[in-house]
Every structure is written in structure tokens, then in C-alpha cells.
Amino acid sequence: MRLLIMGPPGAGKGTHAGALAALVGGPHISTGDLFRDHIDRRTELGRLAEKYLATGEYVPDAVTDDMVRDRLARPDAAHSFVLDGYPRTDAQVATLDELLDARGTAVDGVVELTVPDDELVARILRRSAVSGRSDDTEEVVRHRLAVYTDQTAPLVRAYGERGLLHRVDGTGSMEEVRRRVEAAVAARVRPGA
Ligand code: ADP
């Protein structure tokens, strides 16, 4: 079972992707976490990505695509995974389609978490106190939201047209949202598939 989780910054993708990954029996793959790990380890990729994360721009597709291709080639992602934060551009959608097609598979479902903008900004600013993420400032957050609306929200509609989309209300307690997310994908989840 191959799932995507989409939604604006602060919608709770990371939290719920973890629960979904446990449900499908595959890894939770977050491109944001992969980039932050490279930055911490001061790899060449990290040095390349750093300035984009700092301002809330998207890292160029070629760099991101290579990183995801490598990650998905690892044995733990052979059958099931939850991708969090990828794809985010039209070109990334095409790359992912090709990559999965070459393996004789495809995306099985997409969960979109919806949360009003003002709530998103408030959440991220609260989180910034503990996350230590340098891109969690109001200015960068508002920019990340604008980039999401401009470049990524249209992709959600495209997955909707493929009949893969589950829109889930991301407001309320973490537990409530988790139940909604699990209920949305329950019909599609076949462990080990
Ligand atoms: P959020 O969704 O809360 O903004 P993420 O941790 O998913 O946070 O992403 C943080 C940053 O990592 C993004 O602002 C962007 O710079 C970079 N990034 C993550 N995923 C991608 C992607 N698929 N394509 C390009 N850049 C990405």
C-alpha cells in the first residue's frame, strides 16, 4: 500500500503520516526530515538544500527527485510506504508516476489534511518554541503557505480527478484527526499489499 499525505505546512502531516505508516506496514518518508538530516550531517545535498529551507522555497526538483528515488529504492519501501511532503510540484508528480510505473505499482491513495490558514500560522508559531526549526518564523511560514497554495494545492485536485483523494478535516484533537485519517484510508488498506 503506497500512500501520500498532503496538506499545507502545520496541517499535521508528519504526525499522521507516522500513524499511517504503522497501519500500512511501511516506512514514513518525509522529504523535509530527509533534507534536515542532510543539513545536520553537512552533506553536499544538505549544503545545497539549506538556503531553500531557510526561506521556505522549494528545493529544485532534480535534487529532490534524486533523494526520493534513492530512498524509495531501499528494501523497506519495496511494497508499502507513506510519502510526506512529496510530490509538491507537477514535475515531481510525473517523476513519482514514472518511478512507480517502472516497478509495476502506483499511488494507492492520497490523504489531504485541511486546516484554515490562521490556525496553521498559530500552530507553527506555537511549535517553533519547541521544534527549533529555523523556518518556523511568521514571515517564512506565511511564505511557505503561499508557495503551497500556488504550487502544491493544484496537485491535490489532480489526484482527486484520479479518484484517489481523501480529504480529512485536520482541526480538533490529534486523536480525533487520527481516527478520521484512519477511517478515510481503512477501505484501501490491505496490510502487506
Ligand atoms: P512543511 O510542510 O511544514 O513546510 P516540511 O518539513 O515538509 O515542512 O518541508 C520543509 C521544507 O523542505 C520546505 O519548505 C522545502 O524547502 C523543503 N521541501 C520539502 N519537501 C520538498 C519537496 N517535495 N520539493 C521541494 N522542496 C521540499
Side-chain angles (χ1 to χ4, degrees):
M1 173 71 41
R2 289 151 294 268
L3 300 177
L4 311 182
I5 188 155
M6 302 181 80
K13 295 186 298 288
T15 307
H16 299 292
L20 276 180
L23 201 69
V24 303
H28 163 206
I29 300 174
S30 154
T31 44
D33 286 350
L34 290 174
F35 284 129
R36 282 184 287 276
D37 181 55
H38 276 280
I39 292 169
D40 287 349
R41 291 190 288 119
R42 301 178 190 283
T43 66
E44 196 181 326
L45 195 155
R47 274 196 298 277
L48 233 154
E50 203 162 13
K51 60 176 184 289
Y52 298 98
L53 272 85
T55 54
E57 296 297 333
Y58 287 167
V59 177
D61 287 331
V63 176
T64 309
D65 289 344
D66 283 349
M67 182 177 75
V68 170
R69 194 176 289 112
D70 283 351
R71 180 62 189 88
L72 289 180
R74 283 173 38 191
D76 64 339
H79 301 292
S80 296
F81 54 78
V82 178
L83 263 180
D84 158 10
Y86 186 93
R88 269 171 142 115
T89 65
D90 281 328
Q92 292 177 11
V93 171
T95 300
L96 181 63
D97 282 343
E98 280 165 26
L99 211 151
L100 294 180
D101 196 51
R103 295 155 58 143
T105 62
V107 172
D108 296 301
V110 179
V111 173
E112 181 200 19
L113 290 172
T114 63
V115 177
D117 278 9
D118 286 344
E119 158 111 22
L120 293 170
V121 175
R123 280 187 188 184
I124 295 180
L125 295 182
R126 271 200 307 274
R127 174 177 88 182
S128 69
V130 283
S131 73
R133 267 179 61 168
S134 54
D135 61 345
D136 279 352
T137 63
E138 176 146 11
E139 193 193 347
V140 178
V141 167
R142 292 213 180 265
H143 186 63
R144 277 154 58 203
L145 271 174
V147 173
Y148 179 83
T149 305
D150 182 46
Q151 300 203 42
T152 303
L155 311 185
V156 176
R157 284 193 284 282
Y159 282 113
E161 284 160 17
R162 296 191 200 178
L164 294 176
L165 185 64
H166 301 272
R167 299 191 82 204
V168 174
D169 174 3
T171 61
S173 72
M174 215 139 90
E175 183 55 28
E176 280 166 338
V177 180
R178 190 178 61 78
R179 268 191 261 113
R180 284 183 211 130
V181 168
E182 290 184 0
V185 299
R188 293 193 190 261
V189 175
R190 288 167 289 128

